[in-house]
C-alpha cells in the first residue's frame, strides 16, 4: 500500500463521434411501417405526374431491387413532424457533447425504407448531410439466436457496426488503446442517430424473415444559410 493520498478523480474526455440511441413510441413505428409499405413503383404526385419510389443503384446496400424505397414529400413531412422532438433533443445533446454553444436548426434531406432479406447486406459506407439515422421496425425472430451462435470475429449478423479512427492493434498480441468499433444490436422501435460522415455497415444474416428499417439524412442550418439539394429547397422543420 502507498502512503500517498492520491485523489482519484475520474473525468470523461468527450472525444470522437457522438452516437445517439433512443426508444420510439411503438405506435409511431407501426404507423411508419404502414407508410413504408405504401411506397410504390408508380406514385401519383400532386401535379398529376407519376414517380417511382423504388430506389435503384443510388444507395450503398447490396439489396434486391424493390427492397429500398424512397418516401415522397408528403410522407417525409409527416415523418419530420412526428420526430421533431427527437431530432431537436439529439441536436442539443450533440452540440453539448462537443461543447458547442450554438445550437443550429435542422432540415431533413431524405427518408427511405429498407427491407433487408437473408444474405443481403450494407457494405461500409458514409452518408451525405450532417446527421443520419436508422429506425428498426421489424427484426427476424431467428436473428438473436444466429448472433449468439456466431463464432467469428467482427460484428454479428444483422447488426450495425460503426467504425472510427485507427485500429487498436491485434488483441492477441497487444492491449487495446482505443475502441474504434461500436456494434449496435437492432431492436424493434429503437433509433440510432449518428454523424453522416461516420462509417457504418450491416453484415448479412441467414435466418428467415425481413429486417425492416428506415434511414435518412439531415443537415444543420445556420440562420444566415440557405440549403438546397438539386435545385429544390429542403423540407423545413414543422
Amino acid at each position: 500500500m502507498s502512503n500517498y493520498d492520491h485523489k482519484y478523480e475520474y473525468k470523461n474526455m468527450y472525444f470522437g463521434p457522438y452516437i445517439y440511441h433512443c426508444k420510439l413510441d411503438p405506435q409511431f413505428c407501426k404507423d411508419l411501417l404502414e407508410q413504408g409499405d405504401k411506397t410504390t413503383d408508380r406514385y401519383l404526385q400532386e401535379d398529376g405526374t407519376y414517380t417511382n419510389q423504388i430506389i435503384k443503384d443510388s444507395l450503398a446496400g447490396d439489396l434486391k431491387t424493390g427492397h429500398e424505397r424512397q418516401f415522397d414529400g408528403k410522407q417525409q413531412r409527416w415523418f419530420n413532424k412526428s420526430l421533431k422532438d427527437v431530432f431537436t433533443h439529439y441536436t442539443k445533446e450533440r452540440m453539448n457533447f462537443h461543447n458547442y454553444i450554438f445550437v443550429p436548426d435542422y432540415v431533413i434531406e431524405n427518408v427511405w425504407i429498407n427491407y433487408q432479406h437473408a444474405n443481403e447486406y450494407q457494405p461500409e459506407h458514409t452518408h451525405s448531410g450532417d446527421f443520419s439515422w436508422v429506425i428498426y421496425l421489424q427484426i427476424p425472430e431467428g436473428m438473436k439466436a444466429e448472433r449468439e451462435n456466431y463464432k467469428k470475429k467482427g460484428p454479428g449478423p444483422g447488426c450495425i457496426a460503426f467504425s472510427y479512427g485507427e485500429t487498436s492493434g491485434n488483441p492477441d498480441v497487444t492491449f487495446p488503446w482505443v475502441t474504434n468499433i461500436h456494434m449496435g444490436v437492432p431492436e424493434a422501435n429503437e433509433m440510432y442517430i449518428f454523424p453522416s460522415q461516420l462509417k457504418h455497415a450491416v453484415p448479412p444474416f441467414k435466418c428467415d424473415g425481413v429486417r425492416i428499417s428506415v434511414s435518412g439524412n439531415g443537415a444543420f442550418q445556420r440562420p444566415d444559410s440557405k440549403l438546397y439539394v438539386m435545385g429544390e429547397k429542403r423540407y423545413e422543420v414543422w
Side-chain angles (χ1 to χ4, degrees), residues 214-228:
V214 169
S215 296
N217 304 315
F220 294 131
Q221 184 178 21
R222 293 180 178 276
D224 58 347
S225 68
K226 295 181 179 180
L227 298 178
Y228 293 87

Side-chain angles (χ1 to χ4, degrees), residues 102-183:
F102 175 75
V103 178
D105 198 356
Y106 74 91
V107 287
I108 296 299
E109 288 185 334
N110 43 31
V111 184
W112 65 87
I113 189 167
N114 296 287
Y115 299 87
Q116 184 179 352
H117 293 68
N119 300 316
E120 296 181 329
Y121 65 94
Q122 299 278 357
E124 188 173 73
H125 63 287
T126 59
H127 288 199
S128 63
D130 294 309
F131 62 92
S132 302
W133 65 84
V134 57
I135 300 171
Y136 298 108
L137 304 180
Q138 178 177 298
I139 305 300
E141 291 184 4
M143 187 176 290
K144 181 178 180 180
E146 186 175 340
R147 279 197 305 269
E148 292 174 349
N149 295 325
Y150 187 73
K151 304 302 181 183
K152 298 181 180 180
K153 294 182 179 180
C159 292
I160 182 168
F162 300 102
S163 61
Y164 170 78
E166 303 173 7
T167 60
S168 59
N170 186 344
D172 295 331
V173 298
T174 184
F175 293 105
W177 63 275
V178 62
T179 299
N180 69 308
I181 294 180
H182 174 73
M183 184 180 71

Side-chain angles (χ1 to χ4, degrees), residues 43 45-46 51 53 70-81 84 87 105-112 131 133 216-221 226-238:
Y43 173 74
Q45 301 182 97
E46 295 177 358
T51 185
Q53 292 178 269
Q70 183 80 37
F71 276 32
D72 62 47
K74 184 178 180 180
Q75 290 174 313
Q76 185 165 306
R77 286 189 288 271
W78 169 83
F79 175 88
N80 193 20
K81 181 180 180 180
K84 178 181 178 181
F87 285 126
D105 198 356
Y106 74 91
V107 287
I108 296 299
E109 288 185 334
N110 43 31
V111 184
W112 65 87
F131 62 92
W133 65 84
N217 304 315
F220 294 131
Q221 184 178 21
K226 295 181 179 180
L227 298 178
Y228 293 87
V229 173
M230 296 183 293
E232 297 183 2
K233 197 170 188 308
R234 304 184 193 193
Y235 295 104
E236 297 287 355
V237 177
W238 286 41

Side-chain angles (χ1 to χ4, degrees), residues 22-51:
C22 67
K23 250 191 183 316
L24 301 179
D25 188 312
Q27 183 59 51
F28 163 75
C29 291
K30 181 180 178 180
D31 295 340
L32 182 58
L33 180 58
E34 291 180 356
Q35 290 292 329
D37 288 342
K38 291 179 181 178
T39 53
T40 174
D41 61 351
R42 188 172 171 78
Y43 173 74
L44 179 62
Q45 301 182 97
E46 295 177 358
D47 62 2
T49 61
Y50 286 90
T51 185

